[in-house]
């Protein structure tokens, strides 16, 4: 039997407290977190412990930063990219953040960073979508030579796909952090399940395979005409939707 175990993360931006509770549950069963892994955590077999975990964000953290937590009874467990840090402590240890100001400070930088990437990406996505629509209209009526249509598609389609992925990856955490900050400001618990979003994503994930198969069959029998690029884009969106449905709680 292996002495290590990999546990997939479902996204700390969407369920930080649930993630930490999950790690605590594993610790009580003798699986102790010891490092981050790709899209998850690495645990090692050890003596069962009653631990609580806490996640914090600090870029280029120095010794003074870690000493502050150590003095408060929290031990540094692991870090990712020197920006995301997990600490552990016995169950009765006082939480790291106890008031709204310090809690807000924890998420503000993450929100600003996500927003800094998501907003330009969203703008680029909108512009590329408009240009692609115009290009498709021009191609339909042969207003410009086909060589320019091909060049435009070669440039726009990859750009659309990349910006769509970036917008989703950064946009959803940005919304989540913004929601968390507002809940802290209003005095509500930060732990909130995204029930409406989860329900929507689950519905879309269930419909996606049916939609893709239907489009494929309809195009084969020439009932509808859909370009390969459009079909691939729909497949990509469906794939991302299914992934988000798995991760968002």
């Amino acid at each position: 039997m292996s002495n290590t175990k990999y546990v997939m993360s479902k996204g700390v931006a969407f369920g930080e407290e649930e993630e930490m509770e999950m790690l605590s549950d594993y610790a009580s069963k003798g699986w102790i977190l010891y490092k981050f892994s790709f899209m998850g955590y690495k645990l090692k077999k050890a003596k069962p412990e009653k631990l609580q975990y806490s996640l914090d964000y600090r870029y280029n953290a120095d010794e003074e930063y870690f000493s502050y937590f150590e003095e408060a009874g929290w031990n540094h467990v692991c870090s990712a990219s020197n920006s995301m840090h997990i600490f552990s402590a016995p169950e009765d240890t006082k939480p790291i953040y106890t008031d709204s100001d310090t809690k807000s400070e924890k998420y503000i930088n993450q929100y600003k960073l996500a927003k800094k990437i998501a907003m330009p990406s969203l703008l680029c996505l909108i512009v590329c979508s408009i240009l692609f629509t115009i290009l498709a209209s021009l191609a339909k009526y042969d207003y410009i030579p086909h060589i320019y249509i091909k060049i435009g598609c070669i440039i726009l389609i990859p750009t659309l796909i990349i910006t769509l992925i970036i917008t989703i990856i950064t946009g959803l955490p940005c919304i989540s952090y913004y929601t968390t900050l507002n809940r802290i400001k209003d005095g509500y618990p930060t732990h909130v399940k995204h029930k409406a979003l989860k329900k929507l994503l689950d519905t879309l994930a269930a419909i996606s395979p049916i939609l893709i198969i239907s489009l494929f069959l309809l195009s084969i029998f020439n009932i509808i005409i859909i370009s390969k690029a459009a079909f691939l884009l729909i497949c990509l969106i469906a794939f991302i939707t299914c992934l988000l449905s798995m991760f968002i709680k």
Side-chain angles (χ1 to χ4, degrees), residues 135 138-139 142-156:
L135 192 66
L138 293 174
D142 293 326
Y143 285 146
I144 57 176
H146 285 286
I147 184 64
Y148 295 121
I149 301 294
K150 289 181 179 179
I151 293 172
C153 288
I154 290 171
I155 296 171
L156 286 175

Side-chain angles (χ1 to χ4, degrees), residues 23-233:
L23 293 174
S24 296
D25 184 56
Y26 273 111
S28 67
K29 297 175 182 177
W31 289 100
I32 310 299
L33 171 69
Y34 74 97
K35 71 174 183 178
F36 280 100
S37 187
F38 178 70
M39 294 182 67
Y41 313 97
K42 274 283 190 178
L43 314 179
K44 61 182 178 181
K45 190 66 177 174
K47 182 181 177 181
E49 294 184 58
K50 296 291 184 180
L51 295 174
Q52 57 176 319
Y53 289 91
S54 183
L55 177 71
D56 193 44
Y57 305 97
R58 177 65 63 90
Y59 291 91
N60 299 318
D62 53 20
E63 290 185 10
E64 184 180 353
Y65 168 79
F66 293 112
S67 296
Y68 171 78
F69 286 96
E70 189 174 349
E71 290 172 4
W74 290 85
N75 298 313
H76 176 237
V77 178
C78 56
S79 298
S81 304
N82 199 22
S83 61
M84 186 184 299
H85 315 282
I86 292 183
F87 298 85
S88 68
E91 282 189 337
D92 57 349
T93 305
K94 184 179 178 181
I96 296 174
Y97 297 103
T98 55
D99 58 82
S100 59
D101 289 337
T102 54
K103 285 182 180 178
S104 295
E105 185 181 348
K106 173 181 176 179
Y107 296 105
I108 284 173
N109 288 335
Q110 292 302 111
Y111 166 67
K112 287 181 177 178
L113 178 62
K115 183 180 178 182
K116 190 176 181 179
I117 301 172
M119 293 306 292
S121 178
L122 177 61
L123 180 61
C124 182
L125 179 64
I126 293 170
V127 171
C128 287
S129 299
I130 294 171
L131 290 175
F132 187 77
T133 303
I134 294 171
L135 192 66
S137 300
L138 293 174
K140 183 178 180 180
Y141 297 104
D142 293 326
Y143 285 146
I144 57 176
H146 285 286
I147 184 64
Y148 295 121
I149 301 294
K150 289 181 179 179
I151 293 172
C153 288
I154 290 171
I155 296 171
L156 286 175
I157 291 174
T159 306
L160 273 169
I161 293 171
I162 292 169
T163 52
L164 175 63
I165 294 172
I166 294 173
T167 301
I168 291 173
I169 290 174
T170 58
L172 288 177
C174 181
I175 294 170
S176 181
Y177 289 130
Y178 179 77
T179 303
T180 300
L181 286 168
N182 281 334
R183 291 183 68 83
I184 292 171
K185 182 180 178 181
D186 296 335
Y188 294 112
T190 57
H191 183 61
V192 55
K193 291 187 177 181
H194 302 75
K195 293 182 179 179
L197 179 59
K198 174 65 175 172
K199 186 176 181 180
L200 174 62
L201 288 172
D202 286 345
T203 303
L204 291 174
I207 294 173
S208 294
I210 300 172
L211 175 63
I212 291 171
I213 293 170
S214 299
L215 288 174
F216 179 72
L217 293 174
L218 290 171
S219 63
I220 286 179
F221 293 105
N222 294 322
I223 297 173
I224 63 169
I225 298 174
I226 182 169
S227 66
K228 291 181 180 179
F231 184 74
L232 288 173
L233 185 60

